[in-house]
Coordinates of all heavy atoms in Angstrom, one line a residue:
M528 N 0.2 14.4 -13.6 CA -0.6 15.4 -14.4 C -1.9 14.8 -14.9 O -1.9 13.6 -15.4 CB 0.3 15.6 -15.7 CG -0.2 16.8 -16.5 SD 0.5 18.3 -15.8 CE 0.4 19.2 -17.2
P529 N -3.1 15.5 -14.6 CA -4.2 14.9 -14.9 C -4.6 14.9 -16.5 O -4.1 15.8 -17.2 CB -5.3 15.9 -14.2 CG -4.6 16.9 -13.7 CD -3.2 16.7 -13.8
T530 N -5.2 13.8 -16.9 CA -5.6 13.7 -18.3 C -6.9 14.3 -18.5 O -7.6 14.7 -17.6 CB -5.6 12.2 -18.6 OG1 -6.7 11.6 -17.9 CG2 -4.3 11.5 -18.3
A531 N -7.3 14.5 -19.8 CA -8.6 14.9 -20.3 C -9.7 14.0 -19.6 O -10.8 14.5 -19.2 CB -8.7 15.0 -21.6
D532 N -9.4 12.7 -19.5 CA -10.4 11.8 -19.0 C -10.6 12.1 -17.5 O -11.8 12.0 -17.0 CB -10.0 10.3 -19.1 CG -10.1 10.0 -20.6 OD1 -11.0 10.5 -21.4 OD2 -9.3 9.0 -20.9
D533 N -9.5 12.4 -16.8 CA -9.7 12.8 -15.4 C -10.6 14.0 -15.1 O -11.3 14.1 -14.3 CB -8.3 13.0 -14.7 CG -7.4 11.7 -14.7 OD1 -7.9 10.7 -14.6 OD2 -6.2 11.9 -14.8
L534 N -10.3 15.0 -16.1 CA -11.1 16.2 -16.0 C -12.6 16.0 -16.3 O -13.5 16.5 -15.6 CB -10.5 17.2 -16.9 CG -9.2 17.8 -16.4 CD1 -8.7 18.7 -17.5 CD2 -9.1 18.5 -15.2
L535 N -12.9 15.1 -17.2 CA -14.3 14.7 -17.5 C -14.8 14.1 -16.4 O -16.1 14.3 -16.1 CB -14.3 14.0 -18.8 CG -13.9 14.6 -20.1 CD1 -13.9 13.6 -21.3 CD2 -15.1 15.6 -20.4
L536 N -14.2 13.3 -15.7 CA -14.7 12.6 -14.5 C -15.1 13.5 -13.4 O -16.2 13.5 -12.8 CB -13.8 11.5 -14.0 CG -13.6 10.3 -14.7 CD1 -12.6 9.4 -14.1 CD2 -14.9 9.4 -14.7
L537 N -14.3 14.5 -13.3 CA -14.6 15.6 -12.1 C -15.9 16.6 -12.6 O -16.4 17.1 -11.7 CB -13.4 16.5 -12.0 CG -12.2 15.8 -11.3 CD1 -10.9 16.7 -11.3 CD2 -12.6 15.3 -9.9
R538 N -16.0 16.7 -13.8 CA -17.1 17.5 -14.3 C -18.5 17.0 -13.6 O -19.3 17.9 -13.4 CB -17.3 17.4 -15.9 CG -18.4 18.3 -16.4 CD -18.3 18.3 -17.9 NE -18.7 17.0 -18.4 CZ -18.6 16.6 -19.4 NH1 -18.4 17.3 -20.5 NH2 -19.1 15.4 -19.8
G539 N -18.7 15.8 -13.4 CA -19.9 15.3 -12.8 C -20.1 15.7 -11.3 O -21.2 15.6 -10.8
H540 N -19.0 16.2 -10.6 CA -19.0 16.6 -9.4 C -19.3 18.1 -9.2 O -19.3 18.6 -8.1 CB -17.8 16.2 -8.6 CG -17.5 14.7 -8.6 ND1 -18.2 13.9 -7.8 CD2 -16.7 14.1 -9.4 CE1 -17.6 12.8 -8.0 NE2 -16.7 12.7 -8.9
D541 N -19.5 18.8 -10.3 CA -19.7 20.3 -10.3 C -20.8 20.7 -9.4 O -20.8 21.7 -8.7 CB -19.7 20.7 -11.7 CG -19.3 22.1 -11.9 OD1 -18.4 22.6 -11.2 OD2 -19.8 22.8 -12.8
R542 N -22.0 20.0 -9.7 CA -23.2 20.4 -8.9 C -23.0 20.1 -7.3 O -23.4 20.9 -6.5 CB -24.4 19.6 -9.3 CG -25.0 20.0 -10.7 CD -26.1 19.2 -11.2 NE -26.9 18.4 -10.2 CZ -27.9 17.6 -10.5 NH1 -28.1 17.4 -11.8 NH2 -28.3 16.9 -9.5
L543 N -22.3 19.1 -7.1 CA -22.0 18.9 -5.6 C -21.0 20.0 -5.0 O -21.3 20.4 -3.9 CB -21.4 17.4 -5.4 CG -21.1 17.1 -4.0 CD1 -22.2 17.2 -3.1 CD2 -20.4 15.7 -3.9
D544 N -20.0 20.3 -5.9 CA -19.2 21.4 -5.3 C -19.9 22.7 -5.1 O -19.7 23.3 -4.1 CB -18.1 21.5 -6.3 CG -17.1 20.4 -6.3 OD1 -17.1 19.6 -5.4 OD2 -16.3 20.2 -7.3
R545 N -20.8 23.0 -6.0 CA -21.6 24.3 -5.9 C -22.5 24.2 -4.7 O -22.6 25.1 -3.9 CB -22.2 24.5 -7.2 CG -21.5 25.0 -8.3 CD -22.3 25.6 -9.4 NE -23.3 24.8 -10.0 CZ -23.1 24.0 -11.0 NH1 -21.9 23.9 -11.6 NH2 -24.1 23.2 -11.4
A546 N -23.1 23.0 -4.5 CA -24.1 22.9 -3.4 C -23.2 22.9 -2.1 O -23.7 23.5 -1.1 CB -24.8 21.4 -3.6
L547 N -22.1 22.4 -2.0 CA -21.3 22.3 -0.7 C -20.9 23.8 -0.5 O -20.9 24.2 0.7 CB -20.0 21.5 -0.9 CG -20.3 19.9 -0.4 CD1 -19.1 19.2 -0.8 CD2 -20.6 20.0 1.0
A548 N -20.6 24.5 -1.5 CA -20.1 26.0 -1.3 C -21.4 26.8 -0.9 O -21.3 27.6 0.1 CB -19.7 26.5 -2.6
E549 N -22.5 26.5 -1.3 CA -23.7 27.3 -1.0 C -24.0 26.8 0.6 O -24.4 27.8 1.4 CB -24.9 26.8 -1.9 CG -26.1 27.9 -1.6 CD -27.1 27.9 -2.6 OE1 -26.8 27.4 -3.8 OE2 -28.3 28.3 -2.2
L550 N -24.0 25.5 0.8 CA -24.3 25.1 2.2 C -23.2 25.7 3.2 O -23.6 26.2 4.3 CB -24.1 23.4 2.4 CG -24.4 22.9 3.6 CD1 -26.0 23.3 4.0 CD2 -24.3 21.4 3.7
E551 N -22.0 25.9 2.9 CA -21.0 26.5 3.6 C -21.2 28.0 3.9 O -21.2 28.4 5.0 CB -19.6 26.5 2.9 CG -18.5 27.0 3.7 CD -18.1 26.3 4.8 OE1 -18.0 25.1 4.7 OE2 -17.8 26.9 6.0
Q552 N -22.0 28.6 3.1 CA -22.4 30.0 3.2 C -23.6 30.1 4.1 O -23.7 30.9 5.1 CB -22.8 30.7 1.9 CG -21.6 30.9 1.0 CD -20.7 32.0 1.6 OE1 -21.1 33.0 2.1 NE2 -19.4 31.5 1.5
R553 N -24.6 29.1 3.9 CA -25.9 29.2 4.7 C -25.8 28.5 6.1 O -26.5 28.9 6.9 CB -27.0 28.6 3.8 CG -27.4 29.2 2.5 CD -28.4 28.3 1.8 NE -28.7 29.1 0.6 CZ -29.9 29.0 0.0 NH1 -30.8 28.2 0.6 NH2 -30.0 29.5 -1.1
A554 N -25.1 27.4 6.2 CA -25.0 26.6 7.3 C -23.5 25.9 7.4 O -23.3 24.8 7.1 CB -26.1 25.5 7.4
P555 N -22.6 26.8 7.8 CA -21.3 26.3 8.0 C -21.0 25.2 8.8 O -20.2 24.2 8.4 CB -20.4 27.6 8.5 CG -21.4 28.6 8.7 CD -22.8 28.2 8.3
L556 N -21.6 25.0 9.9 CA -21.5 23.9 10.8 C -22.0 22.6 10.1 O -21.3 21.5 10.2 CB -22.2 24.0 12.1 CG -21.9 23.0 13.1 CD1 -20.4 22.8 13.5 CD2 -22.8 23.2 14.4
Q557 N -23.1 22.6 9.4 CA -23.6 21.6 8.7 C -22.6 21.0 7.6 O -22.2 19.8 7.4 CB -24.8 21.8 8.1 CG -25.9 21.8 9.1 CD -27.3 22.2 8.4 OE1 -27.5 22.1 7.3 NE2 -28.3 22.7 9.1
A558 N -22.1 22.1 6.9 CA -21.0 21.8 5.8 C -19.9 21.2 6.4 O -19.3 20.1 5.8 CB -20.7 23.0 5.0
T559 N -19.4 21.6 7.6 CA -18.1 21.0 8.1 C -18.4 19.7 8.6 O -17.6 18.8 8.4 CB -17.6 22.1 9.2 OG1 -17.4 23.3 8.7 CG2 -16.5 21.4 9.9
C560 N -19.5 19.5 9.2 CA -19.8 18.1 9.7 C -20.0 17.1 8.5 O -19.4 15.9 8.6 CB -21.1 18.2 10.6 SG -21.0 18.9 12.2
V561 N -20.6 17.5 7.5 CA -20.7 16.6 6.3 C -19.3 16.3 5.8 O -19.0 15.2 5.4 CB -21.6 17.3 5.2 CG1 -21.5 16.4 3.9 CG2 -23.0 17.2 5.6
R562 N -18.4 17.2 5.6 CA -17.1 17.0 5.1 C -16.3 16.1 6.0 O -15.7 15.2 5.6 CB -16.4 18.4 5.0 CG -16.9 19.1 3.7 CD -15.9 20.3 3.5 NE -16.3 21.0 2.3 CZ -17.0 22.2 2.3 NH1 -17.4 22.8 3.3 NH2 -17.2 22.7 1.1
L563 N -16.4 16.4 7.4 CA -15.7 15.5 8.2 C -16.2 14.1 8.2 O -15.4 13.1 8.3 CB -15.7 16.1 9.6 CG -14.9 17.4 9.9 CD1 -15.2 17.9 11.3 CD2 -13.5 17.1 9.6
R564 N -17.4 13.9 8.1 CA -18.1 12.6 8.1 C -17.6 11.8 6.9 O -17.3 10.7 7.0 CB -19.6 12.7 8.2 CG -20.3 11.3 8.2 CD -20.1 10.6 9.6 NE -20.8 9.4 9.5 CZ -20.3 8.1 9.8 NH1 -19.1 8.1 10.2 NH2 -21.1 7.1 9.7
Y565 N -17.9 12.5 5.7 CA -17.7 11.7 4.3 C -16.5 11.9 3.7 O -15.9 11.0 2.9 CB -18.9 12.1 3.5 CG -20.2 11.5 4.1 CD1 -21.1 12.4 4.8 CD2 -20.6 10.2 4.1 CE1 -22.2 12.0 5.3 CE2 -21.7 9.7 4.7 CZ -22.4 10.6 5.3 OH -23.6 10.0 5.9
L566 N -15.8 13.0 3.9 CA -14.5 13.2 3.2 C -13.3 12.7 4.1 O -12.3 12.1 3.7 CB -14.3 14.6 2.8 CG -15.3 15.1 1.7 CD1 -15.1 16.5 1.4 CD2 -15.3 14.2 0.5
A567 N -13.5 13.0 5.5 CA -12.3 12.6 6.4 C -12.7 11.3 7.0 O -11.9 10.6 7.7 CB -12.2 13.7 7.5
E568 N -14.0 10.8 6.8 CA -14.4 9.5 7.4 C -14.4 9.5 8.8 O -14.0 8.3 9.4 CB -13.7 8.3 6.7 CG -13.9 8.4 5.1 CD -13.2 7.1 4.4 OE1 -12.4 6.5 5.1 OE2 -13.4 6.9 3.3
L569 N -14.7 10.4 9.4 CA -14.7 10.5 11.0 C -16.0 10.0 11.5 O -17.0 10.2 10.8 CB -14.4 11.9 11.6 CG -13.0 12.5 11.2 CD1 -12.9 13.8 11.8 CD2 -12.0 11.6 11.7
D570 N -16.0 9.5 12.8 CA -17.4 9.2 13.2 C -17.8 10.3 14.1 O -17.1 11.4 14.2 CB -17.2 7.8 14.2 CG -16.2 8.0 15.3 OD1 -16.1 9.1 15.8 OD2 -15.8 7.0 15.9
F571 N -19.0 10.2 14.5 CA -19.7 11.3 15.1 C -19.0 11.7 16.5 O -19.0 12.9 16.9 CB -21.3 11.0 15.5 CG -22.0 10.8 14.2 CD1 -22.6 9.5 14.0 CD2 -22.2 11.7 13.2 CE1 -23.3 9.2 12.8 CE2 -22.7 11.4 12.1 CZ -23.5 10.2 11.9
T572 N -18.5 10.8 17.2 CA -17.8 11.3 18.3 C -16.5 12.0 18.1 O -16.2 12.9 18.8 CB -17.2 9.9 19.1 OG1 -18.5 9.1 19.5 CG2 -16.5 10.3 20.4
D573 N -15.7 11.7 17.0 CA -14.5 12.4 16.6 C -15.0 13.8 16.0 O -14.3 14.8 16.2 CB -13.8 11.6 15.5 CG -13.1 10.3 16.2 OD1 -12.9 10.3 17.4 OD2 -12.7 9.4 15.4
I574 N -16.1 13.9 15.2 CA -16.4 15.0 14.6 C -16.8 16.0 15.9 O -16.5 17.2 15.9 CB -17.7 14.9 13.8 CG1 -17.2 14.1 12.5 CG2 -18.3 16.3 13.4 CD1 -18.6 13.7 11.6
G575 N -17.6 15.5 16.9 CA -17.9 16.3 18.1 C -16.8 16.8 18.8 O -16.7 18.0 19.2
A576 N -15.7 16.0 18.9 CA -14.6 16.3 19.7 C -13.8 17.5 18.9 O -13.3 18.4 19.7 CB -13.7 15.1 19.8
R577 N -13.7 17.4 17.6 CA -13.0 18.4 16.9 C -13.8 19.8 16.8 O -13.1 20.8 16.8 CB -12.9 17.9 15.3 CG -11.9 16.9 15.1 CD -11.6 16.7 13.7 NE -10.5 15.8 13.4 CZ -9.6 15.9 12.6 NH1 -9.5 16.9 11.6 NH2 -8.7 14.9 12.5
L578 N -15.1 19.7 16.9 CA -15.9 20.8 16.8 C -16.5 21.3 18.1 O -17.2 22.3 18.1 CB -17.0 20.7 15.7 CG -16.6 20.3 14.3 CD1 -17.8 20.1 13.4 CD2 -15.8 21.3 13.6
D579 N -16.0 20.6 19.0 CA -16.5 21.0 20.5 C -18.0 21.0 20.6 O -18.7 22.0 21.1 CB -16.0 22.3 20.9 CG -16.1 22.5 22.5 OD1 -16.1 21.5 23.1 OD2 -16.1 23.8 22.9
I580 N -18.7 20.0 20.0 CA -20.0 19.7 20.1 C -20.3 18.3 20.5 O -19.5 17.4 20.5 CB -20.8 20.1 18.8 CG1 -20.4 19.1 17.6 CG2 -20.8 21.5 18.4 CD1 -21.0 19.3 16.2
T581 N -21.5 17.9 20.9 CA -21.7 16.5 21.3 C -22.0 15.6 20.0 O -22.2 16.2 18.9 CB -23.0 16.4 22.0 OG1 -24.2 16.8 21.2 CG2 -23.1 17.4 23.3
P582 N -21.7 14.3 20.3 CA -21.9 13.5 19.1 C -23.3 13.5 18.4 O -23.4 13.4 17.3 CB -21.6 12.1 19.8 CG -20.7 12.4 20.8 CD -21.1 13.6 21.5
N583 N -24.2 13.7 19.3 CA -25.7 13.8 18.9 C -25.7 15.0 18.1 O -26.5 15.1 17.1 CB -26.6 13.8 20.0 CG -26.8 12.3 20.5 OD1 -26.7 11.4 19.9 ND2 -27.3 12.3 21.7
A584 N -25.2 16.2 18.4 CA -25.2 17.4 17.6 C -24.5 17.1 16.3 O -25.0 17.7 15.3 CB -24.5 18.6 18.4
A585 N -23.4 16.4 16.2 CA -22.7 16.1 15.0 C -23.6 15.3 14.1 O -23.7 15.7 13.0 CB -21.3 15.4 15.4
R586 N -24.3 14.3 14.6 CA -25.1 13.4 13.9 C -26.2 14.3 13.3 O -26.6 14.2 12.1 CB -25.7 12.4 14.8 CG -26.6 11.3 14.0 CD -27.2 10.4 15.0 NE -26.3 9.7 15.9 CZ -25.6 8.7 15.6 NH1 -25.8 8.0 14.5 NH2 -24.9 8.2 16.5
A587 N -26.8 15.2 14.1 CA -28.0 16.0 13.6 C -27.4 16.9 12.5 O -28.3 17.1 11.5 CB -28.6 16.9 14.8
N588 N -26.2 17.5 12.6 CA -25.9 18.4 11.6 C -25.4 17.7 10.3 O -25.6 18.3 9.3 CB -24.5 19.2 12.1 CG -25.0 20.5 12.9 OD1 -25.4 21.3 12.5 ND2 -24.8 20.4 14.3
V589 N -24.9 16.6 10.4 CA -24.7 15.7 9.2 C -26.1 15.4 8.5 O -26.3 15.6 7.3 CB -23.9 14.3 9.5 CG1 -24.0 13.4 8.3 CG2 -22.5 14.7 10.1
H590 N -27.0 14.9 9.3 CA -28.4 14.6 8.9 C -28.9 15.9 8.1 O -29.4 15.8 6.9 CB -29.3 14.1 9.8 CG -30.7 14.0 9.4 ND1 -31.1 12.9 8.7 CD2 -31.7 14.8 9.6 CE1 -32.4 13.1 8.5 NE2 -32.8 14.2 9.0
L591 N -29.0 17.0 8.8 CA -29.5 18.1 8.2 C -28.7 18.7 6.9 O -29.3 19.2 5.9 CB -29.6 19.3 9.2 CG -30.6 19.2 10.4 CD1 -30.4 20.2 11.4 CD2 -32.0 19.1 9.7
G592 N -27.4 18.7 7.1 CA -26.5 19.0 5.9 C -26.8 18.2 4.7 O -27.0 18.7 3.6
L593 N -26.9 16.9 4.8 CA -27.3 15.9 3.7 C -28.8 16.3 3.0 O -28.9 16.2 1.9 CB -27.2 14.5 4.0 CG -25.9 13.9 4.4 CD1 -26.0 12.5 4.9 CD2 -25.0 14.0 3.2
K594 N -29.6 16.6 4.0 CA -31.0 17.0 3.5 C -30.9 18.3 2.7 O -31.4 18.4 1.6 CB -31.8 17.2 4.7 CG -33.3 17.4 4.3 CD -34.2 17.3 5.7 CE -35.6 17.6 5.3 NZ -36.5 17.4 6.5
N595 N -30.2 19.3 3.2 CA -29.9 20.5 2.5 C -29.1 20.4 1.2 O -29.6 21.0 0.3 CB -29.3 21.6 3.4 CG -30.2 22.2 4.5 OD1 -31.4 22.3 4.0 ND2 -29.8 22.3 5.6
L596 N -28.3 19.4 1.2 CA -27.5 19.3 0.1 C -28.4 18.6 -1.1 O -28.4 19.0 -2.3 CB -26.2 18.3 0.3 CG -25.0 18.9 0.8 CD1 -24.0 17.9 1.2 CD2 -24.4 20.1 0.0
N597 N -29.2 17.7 -0.7 CA -30.2 17.1 -1.6 C -31.1 18.1 -2.3 O -31.2 18.2 -3.4 CB -31.0 16.0 -1.0 CG -30.3 14.7 -0.8 OD1 -29.5 14.4 -1.6 ND2 -30.7 14.0 0.2
R598 N -31.4 19.0 -1.4 CA -32.4 20.2 -1.9 C -31.7 21.1 -2.8 O -32.1 21.4 -3.9 CB -32.9 20.9 -0.7 CG -33.9 22.0 -1.2 CD -34.4 22.9 0.1 NE -33.4 23.3 0.9 CZ -32.5 24.3 0.8 NH1 -32.7 25.0 -0.5 NH2 -31.6 24.7 1.6
L599 N -30.4 21.4 -2.4 CA -29.6 22.4 -3.2 C -29.2 21.7 -4.6 O -29.1 22.5 -5.5 CB -28.4 22.8 -2.5 CG -28.5 23.7 -1.2 CD1 -27.2 23.8 -0.4 CD2 -29.0 25.0 -1.6
I600 N -29.0 20.4 -4.7 CA -28.6 19.7 -5.9 C -29.9 19.5 -6.8 O -29.9 19.4 -7.9 CB -28.0 18.4 -5.6 CG1 -26.7 18.7 -5.0 CG2 -27.8 17.6 -6.9 CD1 -25.8 17.5 -4.5
G601 N -31.1 19.6 -6.1 CA -32.3 19.4 -6.8 C -32.8 17.9 -6.9 O -33.7 17.5 -7.6
L602 N -32.3 17.2 -5.9 CA -32.8 15.8 -5.7 C -34.1 15.7 -4.8 O -34.2 16.5 -3.9 CB -31.7 14.9 -5.0 CG -30.4 14.8 -5.9 CD1 -29.4 14.0 -5.0 CD2 -30.6 14.1 -7.2
P603 N -34.9 14.7 -4.9 CA -36.1 14.7 -4.0 C -35.6 14.2 -2.7 O -34.6 13.6 -2.4 CB -36.8 13.4 -4.7 CG -36.0 12.8 -5.5 CD -34.8 13.6 -5.9
D604 N -36.4 14.7 -1.7 CA -36.2 14.3 -0.4 C -36.3 12.7 -0.2 O -37.2 12.2 -0.4 CB -37.2 15.0 0.6 CG -37.0 14.9 2.0 OD1 -36.1 14.1 2.5 OD2 -37.6 15.6 2.8
P605 N -35.1 12.1 0.3 CA -35.2 10.7 0.6 C -36.1 10.3 1.5 O -36.5 9.0 1.6 CB -33.7 10.4 0.8 CG -33.1 11.6 1.4 CD -33.8 12.8 0.8
G606 N -36.6 11.2 2.4 CA -37.4 10.7 3.5 C -38.9 10.8 3.1 O -39.8 10.3 3.9
K607 N -39.2 11.1 1.9 CA -40.5 11.2 1.4 C -40.8 10.1 0.5 O -40.0 9.8 -0.4 CB -40.8 12.4 0.6 CG -40.5 13.7 1.4 CD -41.8 14.4 1.7 CE -41.4 15.7 2.5 NZ -42.3 16.3 3.1
G608 N -41.9 9.3 0.8 CA -42.3 8.3 0.0 C -43.0 8.7 -1.3 O -43.4 9.8 -1.4
K609 N -43.2 7.8 -2.2 CA -43.9 8.1 -3.4 C -45.4 8.2 -3.2 O -45.9 7.3 -2.4 CB -43.7 7.1 -4.6 CG -42.2 7.1 -5.0 CD -42.1 6.2 -6.1 CE -40.6 6.2 -6.7 NZ -40.4 5.2 -7.7
S610 N -46.0 9.2 -3.7 CA -47.5 9.4 -3.6 C -48.2 8.7 -4.6 O -47.9 8.6 -5.7 CB -47.9 10.9 -3.5 OG -47.2 11.5 -2.5

């Protein structure tokens, strides 16, 4: 049975959950690739095999998915240097 402390820890993941849900609506393949990479801890070859895409397509979808998640959460683009 979760405690109040457990629920408070999950509260910090609310923005990520909403962003993943929105990514699922906008780009379902990217969302699936991100989940398989980081939640199921699959490598790009395994992701590609599960989704019937190439490992490079899996890598590209993970990259784009993370970039879109950063944007949806409101984080700065990690690829941009400080001006």
Side-chain angles (χ1 to χ4, degrees):
M528 188 88 155
T530 66
D532 289 336
D533 294 331
L534 295 175
L535 288 174
L536 285 173
L537 291 176
R538 185 178 60 186
H540 299 283
D541 207 30
R542 285 180 19 189
L543 177 59
D544 289 340
R545 284 194 307 267
L547 272 170
E549 189 169 340
L550 184 63
E551 183 69 42
Q552 292 293 315
R553 294 178 181 208
L556 184 59
Q557 290 177 16
T559 300
C560 286
V561 168
R562 284 188 176 106
L563 289 174
R564 179 72 175 132
Y565 294 102
L566 299 178
E568 298 181 354
L569 297 180
D570 62 27
F571 297 116
T572 301
D573 291 336
I574 294 169
R577 280 189 182 219
L578 300 178
D579 198 27
I580 59 177
T581 67
N583 284 339
R586 182 185 311 272
N588 276 286
V589 168
H590 172 78
L591 292 172
L593 290 175
K594 186 173 180 176
N595 282 323
L596 282 173
N597 279 334
R598 184 182 51 76
L599 291 168
I600 291 172
L602 298 174
D604 186 352
K607 304 253 181 191
K609 291 183 179 180
S610 301

